[in-house]
Amino acid sequence: MDQLFVNTDAATLSPVALFLQADFVVKAVMIGLLLASIWTWAIIFAVSRKLKRVRKAGDSFERDFWKAEDIDAFHRMHGDSELPAAKVFVAGVAEWRRSTKGSTIDREGTRQRLGTAMGAAVAGEVDKLSERLNVLATIGSVAPFVGLFGTVWGIMRAFTAIAAEQNSSLAVVAPGIAEALFATAIGLFAAIPAVIAYNRFSHGIDRIEARLNRFADGFHSTLSHELEAA
């Protein structure tokens, strides 16, 4: 009989049982946190693949660019690319053509406009790469507090059960306390991967931004030499 009683208690404290016996408020918290966790992992996989593709394709693009002897021909071949480096390149070429189409060329003004155009392109591409990181940041910062709300609510429910039963034994208190702590655990389960992924992706995007700036500086230098020869 004692062994049967222990097994029954263990079954009632399983994750599924804790969810089923929770009231609607704690259930809503748990479901919301589980959905946030699923959303987090979907973003992690999507952003991870995207950054990997951008880094790999960017390496190939820059190698081909620095080997190219004709910028106009290279522009015709790669001008429609969606790569961040290609967007910076296209912005530079477009500003170059606008600034040098007249009979007289303002060399210093052209240099400044080239730097501004490519700098804006770099900022725009970084914004595109970072657009989903705010979701990870929000989940990472909010999920623990949502879980804590479920914990507080569950503990309040446990004390209500104690008052109703007029019994403070573990059998009365344990289910409410367990479901309360389970809500906190789910909140941490959603928050921890989100925080880790946010920090890792932020570092990766910073590296891509630095590389785009180096590419823009190199292209700017190339066009400056063209200005001197013009």
Side-chain angles (χ1 to χ4, degrees):
M1 287 293 291
D2 291 341
Q3 184 65 37
L4 178 61
F5 179 77
V6 171
N7 290 340
T8 302
D9 276 353
T12 59
L13 296 179
S14 68
V16 174
L18 289 175
F19 173 79
L20 293 177
Q21 70 191 13
D23 72 347
F24 75 96
V25 174
V26 180
K27 281 182 179 178
V29 168
M30 291 180 180
I31 291 172
L33 291 172
L34 287 174
L35 291 176
S37 180
I38 293 171
W39 194 8
T40 293
W41 284 105
I43 292 174
I44 288 173
F45 288 126
V47 174
S48 180
R49 288 196 302 268
K50 184 176 183 179
L51 294 184
K52 184 178 180 180
R53 178 184 62 82
V54 166
R55 284 192 296 267
K56 185 176 180 180
D59 290 343
S60 177
F61 178 88
E62 290 188 34
R63 282 196 304 268
D64 293 341
F65 172 78
W66 294 117
K67 291 178 181 177
E69 298 180 356
D70 187 339
I71 291 179
D72 290 329
F74 188 84
H75 182 268
R76 287 193 294 271
M77 292 177 59
H78 300 280
D80 294 332
S81 175
E82 293 298 321
L83 289 174
K87 294 295 186 181
V88 175
F89 167 70
V90 169
V93 171
E95 184 56 45
W96 168 265
R97 289 176 175 175
R98 282 193 298 266
S99 297
T100 59
K101 66 181 179 180
S103 57
T104 59
I105 300 175
D106 179 5
R107 288 180 172 82
E108 189 59 32
T110 298
R111 289 190 183 94
Q112 292 178 0
R113 288 191 293 272
L114 285 170
T116 300
M118 288 190 286
V122 170
E125 293 306 308
V126 170
D127 285 344
K128 289 179 183 178
L129 293 174
S130 306
E131 62 184 1
R132 303 180 75 180
L133 296 192
N134 63 327
V135 177
L136 295 179
T138 301
I139 292 174
S141 60
V142 172
F145 295 101
V146 176
L148 182 61
F149 169 76
T151 298
V152 172
W153 189 273
I155 291 174
M156 289 171 58
R157 186 167 174 260
F159 281 117
T160 301
I162 292 173
E165 297 287 337
Q166 295 184 350
N167 185 353
S168 60
S169 68
L170 186 62
V172 175
V173 177
I177 299 297
E179 75 184 42
L181 295 177
F182 188 46
T184 298
I186 297 176
L188 295 175
F189 180 75
I192 291 173
V195 172
I196 293 173
Y198 176 82
N199 291 330
R200 182 175 179 82
F201 291 151
S202 294
H203 176 66
I205 291 172
D206 287 344
R207 293 180 61 185
I208 292 174
E209 182 180 10
R211 183 162 189 169
L212 290 174
N213 282 321
R214 288 194 298 270
F215 173 75
D217 289 343
F219 188 33
H220 187 279
S221 178
T222 299
L223 295 176
S224 293
H225 288 306
E226 292 290 331
L227 277 176
E228 293 299 329

mmCIF file with all atom_site columns, all heavy atoms in Angstrom, residues 199-210:
data_model
loop_
_atom_site.group_PDB
_atom_site.id
_atom_site.type_symbol
_atom_site.label_atom_id
_atom_site.label_alt_id
_atom_site.label_comp_id
_atom_site.label_asym_id
_atom_site.label_entity_id
_atom_site.label_seq_id
_atom_site.pdbx_PDB_ins_code
_atom_site.Cartn_x
_atom_site.Cartn_y
_atom_site.Cartn_z
_atom_site.occupancy
_atom_site.B_iso_or_equiv
_atom_site.pdbx_formal_charge
_atom_site.auth_seq_id
_atom_site.auth_comp_id
_atom_site.auth_asym_id
_atom_site.auth_atom_id
_atom_site.pdbx_PDB_model_num
ATOM 1  N N   . ASN A 1 199 ? 22.671 36.951 -27.749 1.00 0.00 ? 199 ASN A N   1
ATOM 2  C CA  . ASN A 1 199 ? 24.061 37.380 -27.598 1.00 0.00 ? 199 ASN A CA  1
ATOM 3  C C   . ASN A 1 199 ? 24.947 36.826 -28.712 1.00 0.00 ? 199 ASN A C   1
ATOM 4  O O   . ASN A 1 199 ? 25.809 37.539 -29.245 1.00 0.00 ? 199 ASN A O   1
ATOM 5  C CB  . ASN A 1 199 ? 24.598 36.938 -26.233 1.00 0.00 ? 199 ASN A CB  1
ATOM 6  C CG  . ASN A 1 199 ? 23.955 37.679 -25.077 1.00 0.00 ? 199 ASN A CG  1
ATOM 7  O OD1 . ASN A 1 199 ? 23.553 38.827 -25.228 1.00 0.00 ? 199 ASN A OD1 1
ATOM 8  N ND2 . ASN A 1 199 ? 23.849 37.037 -23.937 1.00 0.00 ? 199 ASN A ND2 1
ATOM 9  N N   . ARG A 1 200 ? 24.732 35.575 -29.064 1.00 0.00 ? 200 ARG A N   1
ATOM 10 C CA  . ARG A 1 200 ? 25.554 34.960 -30.115 1.00 0.00 ? 200 ARG A CA  1
ATOM 11 C C   . ARG A 1 200 ? 25.285 35.613 -31.472 1.00 0.00 ? 200 ARG A C   1
ATOM 12 O O   . ARG A 1 200 ? 26.216 35.932 -32.216 1.00 0.00 ? 200 ARG A O   1
ATOM 13 C CB  . ARG A 1 200 ? 25.265 33.468 -30.182 1.00 0.00 ? 200 ARG A CB  1
ATOM 14 C CG  . ARG A 1 200 ? 26.112 32.726 -31.205 1.00 0.00 ? 200 ARG A CG  1
ATOM 15 C CD  . ARG A 1 200 ? 25.876 31.234 -31.138 1.00 0.00 ? 200 ARG A CD  1
ATOM 16 N NE  . ARG A 1 200 ? 26.661 30.523 -32.116 1.00 0.00 ? 200 ARG A NE  1
ATOM 17 C CZ  . ARG A 1 200 ? 27.947 30.178 -31.973 1.00 0.00 ? 200 ARG A CZ  1
ATOM 18 N NH1 . ARG A 1 200 ? 28.584 30.515 -30.873 1.00 0.00 ? 200 ARG A NH1 1
ATOM 19 N NH2 . ARG A 1 200 ? 28.577 29.515 -32.925 1.00 0.00 ? 200 ARG A NH2 1
ATOM 20 N N   . PHE A 1 201 ? 24.011 35.815 -31.796 1.00 0.00 ? 201 PHE A N   1
ATOM 21 C CA  . PHE A 1 201 ? 23.675 36.423 -33.082 1.00 0.00 ? 201 PHE A CA  1
ATOM 22 C C   . PHE A 1 201 ? 24.123 37.880 -33.145 1.00 0.00 ? 201 PHE A C   1
ATOM 23 O O   . PHE A 1 201 ? 24.554 38.360 -34.197 1.00 0.00 ? 201 PHE A O   1
ATOM 24 C CB  . PHE A 1 201 ? 22.173 36.321 -33.349 1.00 0.00 ? 201 PHE A CB  1
ATOM 25 C CG  . PHE A 1 201 ? 21.692 34.920 -33.598 1.00 0.00 ? 201 PHE A CG  1
ATOM 26 C CD1 . PHE A 1 201 ? 20.393 34.553 -33.272 1.00 0.00 ? 201 PHE A CD1 1
ATOM 27 C CD2 . PHE A 1 201 ? 22.527 33.965 -34.145 1.00 0.00 ? 201 PHE A CD2 1
ATOM 28 C CE1 . PHE A 1 201 ? 19.943 33.257 -33.499 1.00 0.00 ? 201 PHE A CE1 1
ATOM 29 C CE2 . PHE A 1 201 ? 22.089 32.671 -34.373 1.00 0.00 ? 201 PHE A CE2 1
ATOM 30 C CZ  . PHE A 1 201 ? 20.793 32.321 -34.047 1.00 0.00 ? 201 PHE A CZ  1
ATOM 31 N N   . SER A 1 202 ? 24.010 38.593 -32.031 1.00 0.00 ? 202 SER A N   1
ATOM 32 C CA  . SER A 1 202 ? 24.470 39.983 -32.004 1.00 0.00 ? 202 SER A CA  1
ATOM 33 C C   . SER A 1 202 ? 25.957 40.058 -32.307 1.00 0.00 ? 202 SER A C   1
ATOM 34 O O   . SER A 1 202 ? 26.409 40.925 -33.071 1.00 0.00 ? 202 SER A O   1
ATOM 35 C CB  . SER A 1 202 ? 24.179 40.616 -30.642 1.00 0.00 ? 202 SER A CB  1
ATOM 36 O OG  . SER A 1 202 ? 22.788 40.727 -30.419 1.00 0.00 ? 202 SER A OG  1
ATOM 37 N N   . HIS A 1 203 ? 26.712 39.135 -31.730 1.00 0.00 ? 203 HIS A N   1
ATOM 38 C CA  . HIS A 1 203 ? 28.153 39.102 -32.003 1.00 0.00 ? 203 HIS A CA  1
ATOM 39 C C   . HIS A 1 203 ? 28.414 38.782 -33.473 1.00 0.00 ? 203 HIS A C   1
ATOM 40 O O   . HIS A 1 203 ? 29.273 39.408 -34.116 1.00 0.00 ? 203 HIS A O   1
ATOM 41 C CB  . HIS A 1 203 ? 28.822 38.060 -31.111 1.00 0.00 ? 203 HIS A CB  1
ATOM 42 C CG  . HIS A 1 203 ? 30.284 37.881 -31.370 1.00 0.00 ? 203 HIS A CG  1
ATOM 43 N ND1 . HIS A 1 203 ? 31.213 38.861 -31.118 1.00 0.00 ? 203 HIS A ND1 1
ATOM 44 C CD2 . HIS A 1 203 ? 30.980 36.831 -31.897 1.00 0.00 ? 203 HIS A CD2 1
ATOM 45 C CE1 . HIS A 1 203 ? 32.420 38.431 -31.446 1.00 0.00 ? 203 HIS A CE1 1
ATOM 46 N NE2 . HIS A 1 203 ? 32.304 37.207 -31.929 1.00 0.00 ? 203 HIS A NE2 1
ATOM 47 N N   . GLY A 1 204 ? 27.661 37.805 -34.023 1.00 0.00 ? 204 GLY A N   1
ATOM 48 C CA  . GLY A 1 204 ? 27.835 37.458 -35.430 1.00 0.00 ? 204 GLY A CA  1
ATOM 49 C C   . GLY A 1 204 ? 27.494 38.606 -36.356 1.00 0.00 ? 204 GLY A C   1
ATOM 50 O O   . GLY A 1 204 ? 28.192 38.845 -37.359 1.00 0.00 ? 204 GLY A O   1
ATOM 51 N N   . ILE A 1 205 ? 26.425 39.337 -36.042 1.00 0.00 ? 205 ILE A N   1
ATOM 52 C CA  . ILE A 1 205 ? 26.031 40.472 -36.882 1.00 0.00 ? 205 ILE A CA  1
ATOM 53 C C   . ILE A 1 205 ? 27.040 41.609 -36.762 1.00 0.00 ? 205 ILE A C   1
ATOM 54 O O   . ILE A 1 205 ? 27.323 42.303 -37.748 1.00 0.00 ? 205 ILE A O   1
ATOM 55 C CB  . ILE A 1 205 ? 24.606 40.928 -36.511 1.00 0.00 ? 205 ILE A CB  1
ATOM 56 C CG1 . ILE A 1 205 ? 23.596 39.862 -36.939 1.00 0.00 ? 205 ILE A CG1 1
ATOM 57 C CG2 . ILE A 1 205 ? 24.268 42.264 -37.176 1.00 0.00 ? 205 ILE A CG2 1
ATOM 58 C CD1 . ILE A 1 205 ? 22.184 40.109 -36.460 1.00 0.00 ? 205 ILE A CD1 1
ATOM 59 N N   . ASP A 1 206 ? 27.598 41.789 -35.576 1.00 0.00 ? 206 ASP A N   1
ATOM 60 C CA  . ASP A 1 206 ? 28.652 42.804 -35.419 1.00 0.00 ? 206 ASP A CA  1
ATOM 61 C C   . ASP A 1 206 ? 29.852 42.488 -36.306 1.00 0.00 ? 206 ASP A C   1
ATOM 62 O O   . ASP A 1 206 ? 30.458 43.391 -36.907 1.00 0.00 ? 206 ASP A O   1
ATOM 63 C CB  . ASP A 1 206 ? 29.094 42.887 -33.957 1.00 0.00 ? 206 ASP A CB  1
ATOM 64 C CG  . ASP A 1 206 ? 28.063 43.568 -33.068 1.00 0.00 ? 206 ASP A CG  1
ATOM 65 O OD1 . ASP A 1 206 ? 27.162 44.245 -33.618 1.00 0.00 ? 206 ASP A OD1 1
ATOM 66 O OD2 . ASP A 1 206 ? 28.143 43.411 -31.837 1.00 0.00 ? 206 ASP A OD2 1
ATOM 67 N N   . ARG A 1 207 ? 30.192 41.219 -36.403 1.00 0.00 ? 207 ARG A N   1
ATOM 68 C CA  . ARG A 1 207 ? 31.312 40.823 -37.259 1.00 0.00 ? 207 ARG A CA  1
ATOM 69 C C   . ARG A 1 207 ? 30.987 41.057 -38.731 1.00 0.00 ? 207 ARG A C   1
ATOM 70 O O   . ARG A 1 207 ? 31.838 41.512 -39.506 1.00 0.00 ? 207 ARG A O   1
ATOM 71 C CB  . ARG A 1 207 ? 31.660 39.354 -37.022 1.00 0.00 ? 207 ARG A CB  1
ATOM 72 C CG  . ARG A 1 207 ? 32.228 39.059 -35.646 1.00 0.00 ? 207 ARG A CG  1
ATOM 73 C CD  . ARG A 1 207 ? 32.557 37.601 -35.473 1.00 0.00 ? 207 ARG A CD  1
ATOM 74 N NE  . ARG A 1 207 ? 33.579 37.182 -36.443 1.00 0.00 ? 207 ARG A NE  1
ATOM 75 C CZ  . ARG A 1 207 ? 33.975 35.911 -36.573 1.00 0.00 ? 207 ARG A CZ  1
ATOM 76 N NH1 . ARG A 1 207 ? 33.429 34.962 -35.825 1.00 0.00 ? 207 ARG A NH1 1
ATOM 77 N NH2 . ARG A 1 207 ? 34.896 35.599 -37.453 1.00 0.00 ? 207 ARG A NH2 1
ATOM 78 N N   . ILE A 1 208 ? 29.747 40.754 -39.125 1.00 0.00 ? 208 ILE A N   1
ATOM 79 C CA  . ILE A 1 208 ? 29.341 41.012 -40.502 1.00 0.00 ? 208 ILE A CA  1
ATOM 80 C C   . ILE A 1 208 ? 29.362 42.506 -40.798 1.00 0.00 ? 208 ILE A C   1
ATOM 81 O O   . ILE A 1 208 ? 29.806 42.944 -41.864 1.00 0.00 ? 208 ILE A O   1
ATOM 82 C CB  . ILE A 1 208 ? 27.940 40.412 -40.773 1.00 0.00 ? 208 ILE A CB  1
ATOM 83 C CG1 . ILE A 1 208 ? 28.011 38.886 -40.738 1.00 0.00 ? 208 ILE A CG1 1
ATOM 84 C CG2 . ILE A 1 208 ? 27.395 40.893 -42.115 1.00 0.00 ? 208 ILE A CG2 1
ATOM 85 C CD1 . ILE A 1 208 ? 26.658 38.203 -40.845 1.00 0.00 ? 208 ILE A CD1 1
ATOM 86 N N   . GLU A 1 209 ? 28.889 43.314 -39.836 1.00 0.00 ? 209 GLU A N   1
ATOM 87 C CA  . GLU A 1 209 ? 28.909 44.770 -40.018 1.00 0.00 ? 209 GLU A CA  1
ATOM 88 C C   . GLU A 1 209 ? 30.337 45.279 -40.189 1.00 0.00 ? 209 GLU A C   1
ATOM 89 O O   . GLU A 1 209 ? 30.605 46.132 -41.055 1.00 0.00 ? 209 GLU A O   1
ATOM 90 C CB  . GLU A 1 209 ? 28.246 45.453 -38.833 1.00 0.00 ? 209 GLU A CB  1
ATOM 91 C CG  . GLU A 1 209 ? 28.191 46.976 -38.965 1.00 0.00 ? 209 GLU A CG  1
ATOM 92 C CD  . GLU A 1 209 ? 27.524 47.634 -37.787 1.00 0.00 ? 209 GLU A CD  1
ATOM 93 O OE1 . GLU A 1 209 ? 27.267 46.942 -36.774 1.00 0.00 ? 209 GLU A OE1 1
ATOM 94 O OE2 . GLU A 1 209 ? 27.253 48.854 -37.863 1.00 0.00 ? 209 GLU A OE2 1
ATOM 95 N N   . ALA A 1 210 ? 31.249 44.771 -39.351 1.00 0.00 ? 210 ALA A N   1
ATOM 96 C CA  . ALA A 1 210 ? 32.649 45.196 -39.477 1.00 0.00 ? 210 ALA A CA  1
ATOM 97 C C   . ALA A 1 210 ? 33.207 44.805 -40.839 1.00 0.00 ? 210 ALA A C   1
ATOM 98 O O   . ALA A 1 210 ? 33.948 45.582 -41.465 1.00 0.00 ? 210 ALA A O   1
ATOM 99 C CB  . ALA A 1 210 ? 33.483 44.566 -38.360 1.00 0.00 ? 210 ALA A CB  1
#
